[in-house]
Amino acid sequence: GARIFAGTPATGLGRDRAGWRVRTAGGVASAERVILATNAYSGRLHDGLRRSVVAACSWQVATDPLPAGLRETILPARQAGSDMRRLLRYFRLDAEGRFVLGARGSFAEPQPRGSLRRLCAAAAALFPQLRGVAFTYQWGGLVALTPDHLPHLHALAPGLLAGVGYNGRGVAMATVMGRELAGLAAGMDPSELGLPVVNVRPMALHAVSRIGVHAATAWYRLLDGWK
């Protein structure tokens, strides 16, 4: 019964006697309860939520379906794997036999050309038989990192809920968080949830936190490059 409005970003959030009002470029939506499922894209909707995480770019690439003979030499049991680097690279075969590889990208906006080159080189280093195979698909986006590396479930105000901070593991964690947010919004007692409801803790030096994490990332990349 839900109505979905794609391509309609929320530009503002406020509360009056009738409840919450979400402003968009095309109009205003009213609701008794609002869930902020914005993760690393919270923007200015809730500044405290935005400053409770550090946004970093993650990037993935994929080939076309590999020929059967080549596919049999790469993850033959269809494992999903990752390496042991400090800045790990993760990889798998999808249902159609495409090889998919992802890794940490820049802390700036996604940079397709540089990220594509790095990930193609990483794929060939992991599986030399992929050398020369074209990576047809590429995509990237921001992930939200939390200081304790755990996802956070928040009750920001009466009727205003949020879940953020999947630290690059959102396929599984965000799915679980959605279930918990739905239960909380439907009136479930917080003690019955699988995740604790915690207070938002904006980082005191959020403006420079990305610099520190960027420096740590550069150091880890250097260590990973040593033989």
Side-chain angles (χ1 to χ4, degrees), residues 166 169-181:
Y166 309 117
R169 296 173 174 83
V171 172
M173 289 188 176
T175 301
V176 173
M177 180 66 79
R179 182 189 64 198
E180 303 302 275
L181 282 166

Side-chain angles (χ1 to χ4, degrees), residues 40-130:
Y41 293 88
S42 297
R44 299 292 176 179
L45 283 177
H46 193 286
D47 195 57
L49 190 65
R50 179 185 67 84
R51 293 189 293 112
S52 71
V53 300
V54 175
C57 183
S58 181
W59 198 258
Q60 295 191 50
V61 294
T63 66
D64 282 326
L66 299 175
L70 177 57
R71 188 166 62 240
E72 291 171 359
T73 71
I74 298 173
L75 303 173
R78 294 300 181 97
Q79 306 96 325
S82 65
D83 59 23
M84 298 294 290
R85 293 160 56 93
R86 294 168 180 83
L87 299 176
L88 66 82
R89 301 172 296 199
Y90 46 96
F91 41 88
R92 62 185 176 88
L93 291 172
D94 73 3
E96 285 74 41
R98 299 177 184 87
F99 180 79
V100 184
L101 183 140
R104 176 71 54 79
S106 167
F107 276 76
E109 290 300 315
Q111 299 174 344
R113 292 182 181 177
S115 297
L116 178 60
R117 286 195 300 269
R118 285 194 297 272
L119 291 186
C120 288
L126 289 165
F127 299 98
Q129 60 269 50
L130 287 173

